[in-house]
Amino acid sequence: MIGRLTGLVAAKQPPEILIDVAGVGYEVQCSMQSFYALGEIGAKAVLHTHLVVREDAHLLFGFVTKEERALFRQLIKANGVGPKLALAILSNMTVGQFVQAVHHNDMSTLVKLPGVGKKTAERLLVEMRDKLKDFGEQAFVGLAMPELAMAPQEAAMDPKDDALAALIALGYKQSQAETVVKKVAKADMNSEAIIRDALKAML
């Protein structure tokens, strides 16, 4: 099991990053919360990771904080929640926001998440309420992510296309993603800024 990576950010293509660890490149899928918090290309990065082994692939997921990884691990244990959906949830909410939603039985917030319908939201509220007790009732409430470290825009890539691809990878329908990207994107914004504003606009 790969539990942590410490290296340099070699490439960033939301929601995936490539980390160079002593000459070995690890492709890591991150929640957008963690993706935002990483530095620009060439910066040192530390990610707490979770490896998902499938018959056709080994998928590595990375998080800036241990708390976010812990919640990811609890989410994928819930009925009907796989790694992709868990990553989408954590891309749209901080750990503290999710914990508060569960504690307050806030279904209206959960159903706005991509891939979360009414039945899935109901299951999450029931199953996660018990799982969050293991963390301690106040463990994650109000927990904020680190300050966002926005990477400079790369001229060779269209930030709107990058943002659109990232939103689709996170579970949003293409038509929905195209509409919101068109709405929030401005000429001077890089892909990370567009994704950040798009996620806010869809909640």
Side-chain angles (χ1 to χ4, degrees):
M1 177 66 74
I2 301 173
R4 187 178 69 182
L5 293 175
T6 300
L8 302 178
V9 178
K12 298 180 74 176
Q13 178 67 35
E16 185 174 279
I17 69 162
L18 179 68
I19 293 190
D20 184 329
V21 181
V24 179
Y26 291 86
E27 294 179 344
V28 187
Q29 297 184 46
C30 296
S31 74
M32 293 312 300
Q33 302 284 353
S34 286
F35 190 95
Y36 295 148
L38 292 170
E40 61 187 57
I41 293 174
K44 182 178 179 180
V46 178
L47 283 177
H48 304 282
T49 59
H50 178 85
L51 180 65
V52 174
V53 179
R54 295 177 175 172
E55 291 184 3
D56 59 341
H58 288 195
L59 303 175
L60 195 59
F61 296 88
F63 310 93
V64 168
T65 68
K66 291 182 179 179
E67 291 82 4
E68 194 181 19
R69 183 182 63 178
L71 182 53
F72 175 84
R73 287 174 169 174
Q74 292 300 331
L75 282 168
I76 60 177
K77 293 178 184 177
N79 185 27
V81 179
K84 183 176 180 180
L85 180 54
L87 204 66
I89 291 171
L90 291 172
S91 291
N92 285 272
M93 306 177 74
T94 65
V95 175
Q97 288 170 339
F98 182 83
V99 172
Q100 288 179 331
V102 171
H103 285 334
H104 291 92
N105 207 37
D106 187 359
M107 183 180 296
S108 62
T109 295
L110 296 182
V111 296
K112 293 178 182 177
L113 300 170
V116 178
K118 184 177 179 181
K119 291 184 178 179
T120 301
E122 289 174 344
R123 287 200 302 269
L124 282 171
L125 289 174
V126 172
E127 295 185 35
M128 294 304 297
R129 187 178 297 116
D130 291 336
K131 292 178 179 180
L132 292 179
K133 289 180 179 178
D134 295 336
F135 299 153
E137 291 186 2
Q138 301 299 321
F140 296 152
V141 175
L143 182 68
M145 294 299 296
E147 288 295 317
L148 305 187
M150 308 300 287
Q153 180 176 335
E154 297 184 24
M157 306 183 76
D158 186 335
K160 292 182 181 179
D161 289 343
D162 288 348
L164 181 61
L167 292 171
I168 293 173
L170 290 172
Y172 287 100
K173 295 180 180 179
Q174 182 167 344
S175 58
Q176 183 183 16
E178 288 176 345
T179 298
V180 74
V181 166
K182 184 177 180 180
K183 178 181 177 182
V184 305
K186 294 180 177 61
D188 60 343
M189 295 174 70
N190 62 19
S191 60
E192 294 176 40
I194 295 172
I195 295 166
R196 178 195 60 203
D197 288 355
L199 292 174
K200 289 180 180 179
M202 286 188 284
L203 284 182

